[in-house]
Amino acid sequence: MQPISTISLKKRSIWVISGSMDWCFSLAKSWFPPSEDICWSHQQKNPFLLLGSECTVLVFNTFFNFNIDLLGLLSGTVVGGGYLVLLTPPLSMWPYYPDQDTARLLDQFPLPYPSRFIKRLIIILLKNKSIQWVNPESLTNISPPKLQRRSQDDTQQFKDDRHIDPMTANQCHIVEAIHALFWSKKPNKLILTALRGRGKTAALGFAAANILKCSHQKPIQIIITAPYQKALNTFYITLFHCLKQARIDYSYHKQKSILVIQEHQIIFLPPDQVLKSTADLLFVDEAAAIPIPVLNQMSQQFMCAVFSSTLDGYEGTGKGFDLKFKAQGLQAGWQHCTLYEPMRWARDDPVEQLIYRILGTQWPSLLCKKIKTKSFQVKRISQYELLKNNVLLDQMFALLALAHYQTKPSYLRQLMDANNMIIHVIQSYDEQIIGVCVSVIEEPIAIINQADVLLGKRRLKNHLLSQLLGTQCHVPEALNARALRVQRIVIHPSYQRQKLGSMFIQQVMQAGYDAHVDYIGTSFGVHADLMLFWKEQYFSLVGIGIKQDTSTGCHSAIFLKSTSKIGEHIFCKASTFFYQQIAYAFIDYLNTLDLQLSQMICCCISPSEPKRLTDIEIDLISCYTNGYRFFEYVHSVLSKFFWNQVSYIMNHHILSNIEKNIILLKIVQHKSWSCCVHILALSGKKEAKYLLRASFKKLMHQ
C-alpha cells in the first residue's frame, strides 16, 4: 500500500454550556441524546475501556466531579469534525463550587477558599477564541450544532468493511521499520510512541498485514496484547481491510480471540497471559498502562517485540514508561520511532490545543545553555504566583513532568489548590526555572482514624510518611507527629551535579523548622543516585518497602531526619526496627536486587545495637580465613560479623568492589556458589570460595 502525503481532516469544535446543573443537563440532553456515537463522561464506569474507541460528541460534566485526567483521556476519542462539550457552573460561581474530585485529591471537602486551578481554567477558556459559549442569556441567539453522525458500520466493533484511511508517509516508515525488525533474525525491540490520534494502533495493523503477506516459508504466530482488548479495535479493522484488499482469506474466532490467516495466527492475550506464551512477534499496545516489571519480563521473553503507546501524562503510567522503560530500551540499543501527523483530526486542532493547555502539557522549550552556579538563586513560590504567572507555572510543570513518572495533570491541580504545599524553585539570573522542589506538610492523624490506619484498614491522603512509619516501620508515635515530606526534587538535566539539590535541602530544612515539624523525610523508588544524594544531605535510611511499585518496578525507600525530641524518638525506633529486619529482607524480597543498589543500601545502614562477637566466634572466623573451617560451619558467625560493621565496610575502601560483591551475594543474599560465579564472571567455585575467604581475612586485620 502506497503512503499518502496529506489527509483531508476536519477540525473539532469546542462548546461550553454554562449555567445551573439542571439547565445545562436539560439542554445538553436535548442536543446530544446519549447514543453509541455520543459519550457522556459521568456515565463511564471504566474510562480505560474507551481507549482506541471513537465518538462524534463528548459531553463532559464538570459539576461536582471534575476529573482532569479523565478529560485528557476522553478528549482523544472525539473524531475530526466532532464536538467537545463542557458542562460548567456559572463562571463566577465555578471556583467556589463543591468539587468531590478535589476532595479526592486533596483530602479536603469543601475547599476553604476558591479553587486556583479552576480560576486558571476559566482564564484559559475565556482567552480561547475557538469556543462557542452557551448560557441562558445567549441561548436565543444560538442554534444547536449540526451533528454528522457516523454510520453504524463505523461504530461496530471489528467491522471488516469499515472505511479506513490509507497509510501516511509517517506510518509507512513505521511499517518498514517493523518489517525490517522482524526479518532481521536478530533479537531486537522497537518502541513506538505518539500523541493521541496519530494512528499508532492502525500502524500496527498495517505492519501485521505486511509481514503476513511477505511470509511464504513458515507459519507465523503473532501475539498482540493491551490492557483491554477493546483498545485494539483499530488494529483489527485496519488488518481486516488490508487482508481483504490483498484477497487473503481469514477467519476470526471471537471467543478465543484468535485470527487465523491461512497457516498464520494472530492471538490476543491479556498481559499476564503473555508471559506464559511464546510467539514469533509480540505487539504491546497502550504499553504505558502496563506495569514496568511486566514489560521487562516481556522484553526478556520475546526475541522480537514492538512496544507501542501514547505518552501523554494522563494515560496509565505514561511517565514511568517514558522515563524508565523507554530509557532502558534505548540504552540497550532498541529502535525508537514516533508518529507526528494527526490521523483523527486536522493539524492545529482547537480541541487538542485547548486540552494540552489545560493539562499543562503544552510546554515551552527548556533551557539548554550553561549558566555559572553563582547566577542561581533559590526562591519560595506561593500558589497565588502560580495563578498569576503562566510562564512560571509552565516551566515548573514541564520540569516536574520531565523527571517524575507520577506527574499527571491532576498533580497540577494539587499543586495549585492544596494548602499544605511548600514550593521552592531555582532561578537563573534571567528568571528561567531550572529546578523545582515541592514539599508537603503532614499534620498529625486524627485519633479516631489511627487504629484503622495501623491495622491497614484505611489509608489517608497527604499522610504518606506518618502512615509508612506507623505500619511499615512499627512506630505508631509517628501518627501523632507533624512532618514535612519532600515530595519532588527536580533539576534540569543540563544543570545536574552542581550541588543545586543541596541548595534546595537547606531551604527545606529551614521551612521545616519554621513550620515547627518534628521530622523531615522523603519516600521514593530505590535508586543508587537518589540514595547517595539523601545520604550526603545527612538523612538516614529507615525503611524499604516490601512490594515493588507497579509503574517503576522499584521498592520504596524512606529517608528521615529529626528536628525535635519527638522526631528523634521516632527516628531511633524506626532505625532500630529497620536494622533488625534488613538481614531477612535481603534473603527474601530484596534477594534479586542488583549489586549496585545492594551496596548503596548497606552504605546507608547504621547498626543501632551491634551484637558483640564472643571470643569463640572470633576464633571461628580466624580459623575460616586461614583455611581450617568450611564456610558452611561459620556462615552465621560471618553474617553477624558483617552486619555489625556493615556501614563501615561498605563506606570505606578496605575491600575492592568485587570483594564487597562476593560478601553481598553469599553472606547477605544467600546465593549459591554457582550463582556467585556467574554474576561475578569468576573461573569457578574454587575462585569464589577463595575470594570470600580472602575478603574476610582483610576485614579481620583491620
Side-chain angles (χ1 to χ4, degrees), residues 403-460:
H404 202 285
Y405 73 96
Q406 287 185 339
T407 308
K408 297 180 180 180
S410 54
Y411 185 67
L412 178 62
R413 185 170 201 176
Q414 189 176 358
L415 202 64
M416 298 190 72
D417 281 344
N419 63 355
N420 60 344
M421 291 276 189
I422 296 177
I423 304 169
H424 290 90
V425 299
I426 293 181
Q427 290 181 318
S428 63
Y429 67 93
D430 56 354
E431 296 189 347
Q432 294 293 308
I433 305 299
I434 60 170
V436 182
C437 177
V438 181
S439 305
V440 178
I441 291 179
E442 296 189 1
E443 300 290 352
I445 294 176
I447 295 175
I448 194 173
N449 296 325
Q450 290 187 9
D452 285 345
V453 168
L454 293 174
L455 292 173
K457 294 181 178 179
R458 187 170 183 181
R459 186 175 180 181
L460 304 177

Side-chain angles (χ1 to χ4, degrees), residues 537-598:
Q537 309 309 313
Y538 302 102
F539 280 66
S540 298
L541 178 64
V542 297
I544 294 181
I546 296 175
K547 296 181 180 180
Q548 294 173 292
D549 183 88
T550 56
S551 299
T552 64
C554 296
H555 296 271
S556 60
I558 306 171
F559 275 77
L560 219 61
K561 192 171 189 176
S562 63
T563 53
S564 73
K565 288 184 178 180
I566 295 174
E568 183 64 25
H569 172 73
I570 292 170
F571 167 77
C572 289
K573 284 195 68 173
S575 184
T576 300
F577 185 77
F578 177 59
Y579 177 65
Q580 293 169 347
Q581 298 295 316
I582 190 61
Y584 171 76
F586 270 113
I587 300 171
D588 189 5
Y589 54 89
L590 299 181
N591 189 255
T592 58
L593 214 59
D594 67 66
L595 290 171
Q596 184 187 18
L597 274 178
S598 298

Side-chain angles (χ1 to χ4, degrees), residues 138-185:
S138 64
L139 182 60
T140 55
N141 301 320
I142 298 174
S143 301
K146 296 180 180 179
L147 303 183
Q148 296 181 351
R149 296 186 182 274
R150 296 178 296 158
S151 66
Q152 187 176 359
D153 288 348
D154 281 348
T155 60
Q156 189 171 343
Q157 184 181 22
F158 299 172
K159 188 73 177 181
D160 59 359
D161 58 352
R162 174 180 151 175
H163 168 74
I164 69 165
D165 294 305
M167 275 193 292
T168 63
N170 203 185
Q171 285 179 315
C172 187
H173 170 72
I174 301 299
V175 171
E176 291 171 354
I178 295 175
H179 180 92
L181 179 87
F182 180 77
W183 295 108
S184 67
K185 297 182 179 180

